[in-house]
Amino acid sequence: MNSADSESLARRLLAAGYSEEPLERADVAILNTCVVRQASEDRVYSKLHELKQWKTRDRTIAVTGCIVAKEGDALRRKFPHLDAVVPIGDYDTFLAGLEARYDYSLGEPMPRSGRTGVSHYVRVIQGCDHNCTFCIVPRVRGRERHVRMQAVVTECRAAVAEGAKEVVLLGQNVDDYIDPDGGGGLAALVRQVEQIPGLKRLRFLTSHPQDLETELLDVMAQSDVVCRELQLPVQSGDDTILRRMARGYQTRHYRAIIERARELMPDIGLATDVIVGFPGESESAYLRTRALVEEIEFDVVHIAMYSPRPGTHAAIRMADDVPHEEKLRRLNDLLALQREIAARKTSLWIGREVEVLVEGRDELNRPYGRIRQGKRAVVMRGRDVYPGDVVDVRVLQATAGQLIGIPAA
Ligand code: SF4
C-alpha cells in the first residue's frame, strides 16, 4: 500500500517537472511513513533527526503516510525543521506549495507501470473495517472506501495499454472488496480484470481468512493470468489468541482454506504473517503457532514481535505480559524453523520449468523477476531478456530466497 502511495505521489511530482535525485543533490525530501509497528515508526523519527543536518533554508522536508493521521501537527512541534505534513492522497495543497517555492517547467509523468516498467498497483480499497485488537491501521487509514469496479477496470486497461504487464489489486483486506455499483466482490473484479488483452499477470493482496470467497480460489485455479499466490495472514496458531486478537476465524477455518487452495493448485505459493508474544501468549499457545507453521509449510512467513500500538484495544485493555527476551526467543525460533522450511520448499523447484515475468536486473546484471507462485527467480544466460518479458526458465539451483535458472530450450 505504501509503495502504491509513493508511486502515485512520484507520478504527480514527475509530471510537475521534478526529477528523482540522490538526497545530497535534492531540494525536497519526502518521507512516506508506516506506523504499523513501533520499529517502523521509530525509523521515521530517526530519519527526521538525521535530516536536520541536511535541511537548509532552500530545502523542503515533508512527511506523508500513516504517521500523519496518528501524530498530526504534533510532528511539526517535535520537528521544527519539518516543512509539510501531508495526509495520504491529499497531495494538491502540498504540490501547490512546492510550485510557489520552486520554479520548474512541466515534466513527464512516470509511466503507469511505475519504476519497474512492469507492474501497475491499483488501490481498490482504502482503509479497513476490521478491528483486530493489535492493529493501528483502521485508526490511521480510516474506514473502508471501495473504488467502483468499472473505474478499476478502466485504470488497469489504461495501464496495460501504456506497457504494464502485471496489475496488482491492493487493499488492507482486499477480500472485503465490493463494487459500490453492485457489480460483485473481489472474485468478480478479478474475472473482469484478467480478461484485459495484453495483461500477463494479476495479483491481489492482502487477503483475510474471514472474508476470502471460495469462488476466488476457483477463479485463480482456472486462470492463466491470475497468479497462484495467496498472502493470507494467520497471525497465530492458537484459537484463544486469535479470539483475543479479534481475527474472526479459528485455525480450523484457516486450515480448510489452505486445504481447498492446495487441492485446486498443489503448487500454490503461500505467504503469511505471524505475531509472537501477543498479550496472554503462553508457551503452549506459541507452540501451537509453531506447529501450524511446521504443518502448513508456508513459502514465506513475515514474523513480528508484538509491540503495543497506542490507541488500539490491545494496548488499552491487555497487559503486554510476554517479556521482551521471550518474544525475541520465539521470533528467532520461528525464523530458524521457517528458513529451513523455505530452503526445503524452494529446492523442490530444481529441475522444473517455470514462467518468469522479468522485472529488472540484479546487482550482477542478471534478469530477475517472479514466477506465478510468487517466488523470485534469477535468469542466467539471459542477455536478450528484458523487463516485461515472460520467459520459460529451467530451474538449476535454489536458495531459501530465490530460484536460479536458464532460459528453457
Ligand atoms: Fe489491521 Fe488487517 Fe485487521 Fe484490518 S484486517 S484491522 S488492516 S490486521
Side-chain angles (χ1 to χ4, degrees), residues 28-49:
V28 184
I30 305 169
L31 298 184
N32 187 12
T33 60
C34 168
V35 295
V36 71
R37 292 184 199 133
Q38 188 60 47
S40 44
E41 186 172 342
D42 290 345
R43 268 204 300 276
V44 178
Y45 297 134
S46 99
K47 197 77 204 170
L48 279 170
H49 280 300

Side-chain angles (χ1 to χ4, degrees), residues 128 130-132 134-135 137-138 172-173 208 235 247:
C128 182
H130 281 253
N131 280 304
C132 303
F134 55 82
C135 183
V137 166
Q172 302 291 346
N173 170 10
H208 193 295
Q235 305 297 7
R247 290 289 290 171

Side-chain angles (χ1 to χ4, degrees), residues 226-258:
V226 185
C227 287
R228 296 189 164 176
E229 183 192 4
L230 259 193
Q231 310 246 0
L232 193 65
V234 66
Q235 305 297 7
S236 171
D238 181 83
D239 287 338
T240 307
I241 296 295
L242 285 177
R243 199 169 56 245
R244 287 169 66 80
M245 288 176 165
R247 290 289 290 171
Y249 56 85
Q250 295 180 342
T251 47
R252 67 191 165 93
H253 302 130
Y254 193 90
R255 284 190 174 91
I257 296 171
I258 302 297

Side-chain angles (χ1 to χ4, degrees), residues 143-349:
R143 308 287 293 171
E144 285 176 3
R145 276 128 22 235
H146 300 228
V147 182
R148 293 195 151 76
M149 192 179 290
Q150 202 43 54
V152 177
V153 176
T154 305
E155 181 175 338
C156 294
R157 209 182 286 282
V160 174
E162 279 181 34
K165 305 292 179 216
E166 172 181 77
V167 295
V168 187
L169 308 177
L170 297 171
Q172 302 291 346
N173 170 10
V174 75
D175 291 318
D176 248 1
Y177 179 78
I178 191 84
D179 177 17
D181 291 335
L186 184 64
L189 175 64
V190 167
R191 271 193 211 281
Q192 292 246 349
V193 175
E194 69 144 351
Q195 285 166 22
I196 295 173
L199 181 67
K200 302 259 170 53
R201 295 255 175 105
L202 191 165
R203 293 193 287 135
F204 54 84
L205 57 143
T206 300
S207 293
H208 193 295
Q210 189 186 18
D211 303 313
L212 189 127
E213 305 162 285
T214 43
E215 188 195 346
L216 187 62
L217 298 177
D218 297 327
V219 175
M220 289 167 76
Q222 288 156 11
S223 172
D224 289 333
V225 173
V226 185
C227 287
R228 296 189 164 176
E229 183 192 4
L230 259 193
Q231 310 246 0
L232 193 65
V234 66
Q235 305 297 7
S236 171
D238 181 83
D239 287 338
T240 307
I241 296 295
L242 285 177
R243 199 169 56 245
R244 287 169 66 80
M245 288 176 165
R247 290 289 290 171
Y249 56 85
Q250 295 180 342
T251 47
R252 67 191 165 93
H253 302 130
Y254 193 90
R255 284 190 174 91
I257 296 171
I258 302 297
E259 204 174 300
R260 178 71 184 142
R262 282 189 165 149
E263 210 173 275
L264 293 168
M265 299 163 278
D267 59 4
I268 188 171
L270 290 174
T272 199
D273 296 358
V274 165
I275 296 173
V276 293
F278 187 77
E281 188 188 64
S282 61
E283 178 66 8
S284 54
Y286 165 68
L287 289 175
R288 276 189 275 281
T289 298
R290 192 184 198 283
L292 186 92
V293 168
E294 211 165 7
E295 170 198 326
I296 292 189
E297 299 195 306
F298 296 97
D299 295 271
V300 177
V301 183
H302 304 285
I303 309 163
M305 284 194 296
Y306 172 75
S307 65
R309 307 304 292 124
T312 58
H313 183 87
I316 297 167
R317 297 285 168 82
M318 300 178 196
D320 183 14
D321 56 1
V322 180
H324 179 80
E325 305 70 51
E326 182 53 26
K327 287 179 186 168
L328 200 58
R329 187 193 66 79
R330 292 176 191 178
L331 175 93
N332 286 327
D333 179 49
L334 217 47
L335 280 173
L337 172 68
Q338 181 53 29
R339 256 197 305 273
E340 186 254 309
I341 293 171
R344 185 156 24 92
K345 284 201 77 181
T346 43
S347 71
L348 297 176
W349 290 90

